[in-house]
Structures are given as structure tokens and as C-alpha cells.
Amino acid sequence: MTFRRFAFNNVIRNKRLYAAYFLSSMFTVMVFFTFAIFAFHEAISGNDMNSSVQQGMNIAGGIIYVFSFFFILYSMSSFLTTRKKELGLLMMQGMSVRQVRLMIFLENMVIGFFATLGGIILGLIFSKVILLIAENVLVLDDSLNFYLPIQAIIVTFLSFILLFFIISLFVSYILRSRKLIDLIKGNKKSKGEPKANIFLTVSAVLLIGVGYAAALIVEGAVVIVAMLPVVVVVIIGTYLLFTQLSVYIIRKLKQNNNIFWWKTNMILFSDLSFRMKDNARTFFMVAIISTVAFSAIGTLFGFQTFLTEGLKNNNPYTFSYITVDQDKDDVAFINETIEQEQMEAKHEPTKLAHYEIGQDNIVITSETDFNRFASFLGEDTIDIQTGEVKVVEFTGNEYGQTEELLKQKLNLNSGTSLIPKEVIYSRALPATDSYYVVSDQDFKELPAPISEESYHAWQVTKGQDNIIAASEKIEKVVPPYEFYAKDYSIYQLNKAYGLVLFVGLFIGIVFFVSAGSFLYFRLYADLEEDKQKFRSIAKMGLTEKELKNVLTRQTAILFFTPILVALIHGAVALTALSHFFYYDLTKISLSVLGVFTLIQIIYFAIVRFFYTKQVKSVL
């Protein structure tokens, strides 16, 4: 048997041992390949593709590839940790360090080759589903039809063969004799119970507290300024949380006899205490990666919702037309297009009169005109007495001039001055700044306006499916700065933003799933030790029910501790984002964090079932 054949058989005959590393590598390849299928699709990478968007796609692909490198490298190191006994046995049989390094290199290349092929094949199987999902997320002129992605296959295969080659060289190079001896003796060497530094423990609480306080207090543009220092402070605090504060809390719980001696807590806390040094690094890495995933996806969805809701709020009518010199032909063409597209719409015209109030150009309208548009929009009408004036602030607009207008006086031709005392909120007229409403009688007494605009609004009541087509026709004839179509603007926004949202969602999911894989490797790295430990404890009377309870709590702490920290970090980050936009992102935050929590619960249930089954098999 040749040495290469020995390395190949070693992989084939140890399927269970190699399965986790192989599957995680194959998943990584599949993720990259499905992204490549999407990126190289002719509907995305055509000649009319926006260069900045295409550049963004390339950057996103690079991020996924670089992250894949570190993820596979971590997977490989975790995989080697589980093979300590095997490597020690081979050295005892006379295998040199050089041969061990060559064997690991060849094994890793074999796994990498088949993981690459498997990832590409799985990607081809699910490619149609990915393209269908992308079609629903994106707003494209062309559909994402299935195609044979030759370019994506070549790029993925060459990229990951090179990646596995570099990782294989790197791992085999650093595996020197001294490192290997430490690895072989790893099971026999006690890591000792970690101890917490009280100063660093207190620092963990202070750093996270200060970071949270800063993130939640600042508003507006200050959020961007505070972002970098807050992120740095919270990252340092999170590291100390797992390496110091958690150790301190576990030690205090062990010192409480009522807790420590209750049922099987002794096994649980002793195990946590001695493994915390290894778990802390994994917890920190998973918490930070998951926070990035939560925050990125929450930010993308939140920003889209913020823009979409802003368009809907500031433009309550389906179509609107405003011009200084009314073009009757434009209005007639809009009405004709509505009719041609088999739509029915209500139409209201008016004149917007502008007056010089103080240093500003302010709209003043009559009670009748205001009520006409308020009724048109479905809002409550108002009643204004002669001599009375009200300031109208556009609903949902944080930048009106309400305070300034309340300090002004309206001088009528009769010599009377009107002083505003009341503010009302409405979206009836298109003035995003605040404006005045006076009684019909007082409106007639106003001096001549400095300018007037003709304003028309249409509210489609039937045939809404044809709004986009009608808008495209109208915009080809009517100047865009005079005509506005709410639904068409939202359509254009989603078309431009959909690609960014899809790519961000893709990368966020990759990060989150990778974080789950880190936890899986951390759990299975101690599988052999757990088997021996629980087999010994079972001889002293540990029942199957108690074993299952201990394993469930042990696995739950491993899976949910870093995710809980990440959820809190993510919630604070999204709250800070809402302060930046001055827009409530509570629903978006709960939706994103809730979905990820549900995924983590399902993943935990699956892993716990198989892990418990593995441990129980030796009892």
C-alpha cells in the first residue's frame, strides 16, 4: 500500500470522524457557489449592469471567500484536536513527524477535493430554488432563468482547490514535533481551573455598560461618530465577559452549596469551570460574528423600511403634478393614460399660494381647499373661525418650521393681524414644511401672493396593478420634477436596493450559520472526553434521565450563551440605528432577532439529539 493510498483509505474508513469537517467544508463551498451562480447570471452581470453594483457583488464575493478561508482553517484545527490519540498511536508505530505532516496534507486535500465537488453538486441542485428566492427579493426587468453556470463552476472549483491547498500547507507546516507532542499529551494534561481577575471582571461590566449607554443615548448624526468607539469598547467588554466575568460567576455559584449540590449541578458546574478557558474563545467569536449578522441584516431591512415608509408618508397620493405654469396638456395626458391603462382615479386640483412670512416663503391655504384635500385623503376636516389661523405640520415630518411659524403674524389687507396659536397635523397638501390654514373670509383679505403653483392629485381606486406601467408612460412625456408617482418610486427604490438587500442577507446568513458550526465543533471536540466521563459517572449511579438532563443543560449553555449576548448586542445596535434615522425599528428588530433565535433553537434541538445519542452509546 502506498502512502497516498494509506491517506485516502484513512479518510474513507473514518467517515464518522471526518464527517463534521467534510460537511462544514462542503457547506462553505455550496454557499460560495450559489452566490457565484447568482453573480454570473446574465440578468445580473449584463452590459447595462450598474458598475458600482457589480463592484459591490465582487466585494461581497471576496468577503465570503476570505471568511470561508478562516472558517475552514478553524474547522481544520478543531478537527485535528479530535485526532490526538490517533496521531499519537501513529507516532508510536514509527511514523515520523514529516510523514504525519504529509498525511494530514494529503487527507486535507482529499477532503477538500470531494467537499468542493459535493458543494458544487449541491449548489446545482438548489440553484433553481436560490434563483427563485432571488427573483422574489429583487426587482429585475428580466427573470432569473436557470442556466448551466460553467463560469461559476470553474471559478468555485479553482478557488477552493487553491484554498484547501494553502490551508493544507499551512496546517502541515505549523505541525512541528513540539506542537505535535503537546497535541498528543493534550488529553492527559490538566488545563486547570481558570481564575478570574477581579479588576478585569469589573471592567467587563463597565465597558459593556458604557458602550450600551453611549449607543442608546446619542441621536442623529452623532450615532455615526460614536459608532467606532462604542464597537471597540463593547468588543473588549465582550471578551472580558466570557474570559473573566463568566469564570467569576461560575466560581461564585460553585461556592453556594445549595446550588452546587442540588441534583446534578455538581457535574454541570465542574465541567463548565474546567472548560471555560476553551469555551470562552468560542463564545466570544460566535457572539461577535452573530452580532455582525444580526446588525447587518437588521440594518438592511430597517433602512429599506425607513426609505419605503418615508416615500409612502410624504406622498399620500398615487399620482401628483405640480408646476408654476400649469400645462393643461400634461394634466390631460395623465388623465388619458389613466383611462388607457383601465384604471379609475379620483382627481383634485388646487392652487398653492406662497407668501413671504418673515424670511421664508410659506404656503397659506383656505379652509375650503384644505378640507377638500383632507376629505380626499380620508382625514378629518377642520373648522376655522374668522380671525383664527392654524399651523399645519406635515404628519411624520421631523423637520417642519412649526416653532418659527407660531412666532409670526399674518397681516391682512383690512389691517387686522392674525396670530397662530394651534398646531394640527395632516398630509392633505404636499408642503413638507409647515404652512398656515385660515378661514375663507380671511383668505380673501390676504395680500397678493409672491408666487403660485398649480397642484393636482390623483388617487387610484381601481386597476392598481397597472400603476407602474402608467407611471412609466407618463414619465416619458411629463417632466419628472413636475410629476410624481408614489408606487413607481417605491418600485424604483426596491429595484435599486433589492440587490444590496439580497447580498447582505446572503452574507449575514453565512456568518450566522458559520457561528453555529463553530459551536458544533466546540461541542464535538470534547466528545471522547464526555464519553469516558459519563461512562465512569454512570457506574456510580447516574441514571439515563439525569444524563440526558445534564447533557441538555450543558449543550444549551454552549449554544445559547453567546447567542443571547449577540441578541442583546444586536438589539442595542438596532436601537441606535433607529435613533440615527429617527424611525422606530422595533418591529424589524423583533422580526430579525426572532427568526435567528428560532433557527438557533431548531439547530440546538438537532445537535442535542445526536450528541446525547453518541454519549449514551457507550453506557
Side-chain angles (χ1 to χ4, degrees), residues 233-251:
V233 166
V234 171
I235 287 177
I236 297 173
T238 303
Y239 181 78
L240 295 178
L241 167 69
F242 291 122
T243 58
Q244 302 295 325
L245 181 59
S246 61
V247 173
Y248 178 81
I249 292 174
I250 291 172
R251 181 178 288 273

Side-chain angles (χ1 to χ4, degrees), residues 62-74:
I63 292 173
I64 294 176
Y65 186 74
V66 171
F67 188 78
S68 299
F69 174 83
F70 290 105
F71 174 64
I72 293 176
L73 182 62
Y74 178 85

Side-chain angles (χ1 to χ4, degrees), residues 554-588:
Q554 178 178 304
T555 310
I557 290 173
L558 179 67
F559 270 75
F560 292 112
T561 299
I563 295 300
L564 178 62
V565 172
L567 288 172
I568 297 173
H569 284 355
V572 172
L574 294 177
T575 302
L577 182 67
S578 68
H579 291 167
F580 174 68
F581 291 141
Y582 292 105
Y583 180 78
D584 188 6
L585 294 174
T586 302
K587 291 184 179 179
I588 294 294

Side-chain angles (χ1 to χ4, degrees), residues 415-426:
T416 305
S417 294
L418 305 181
I419 300 175
K421 295 181 180 179
E422 184 181 355
V423 178
I424 60 175
Y425 296 86
S426 171

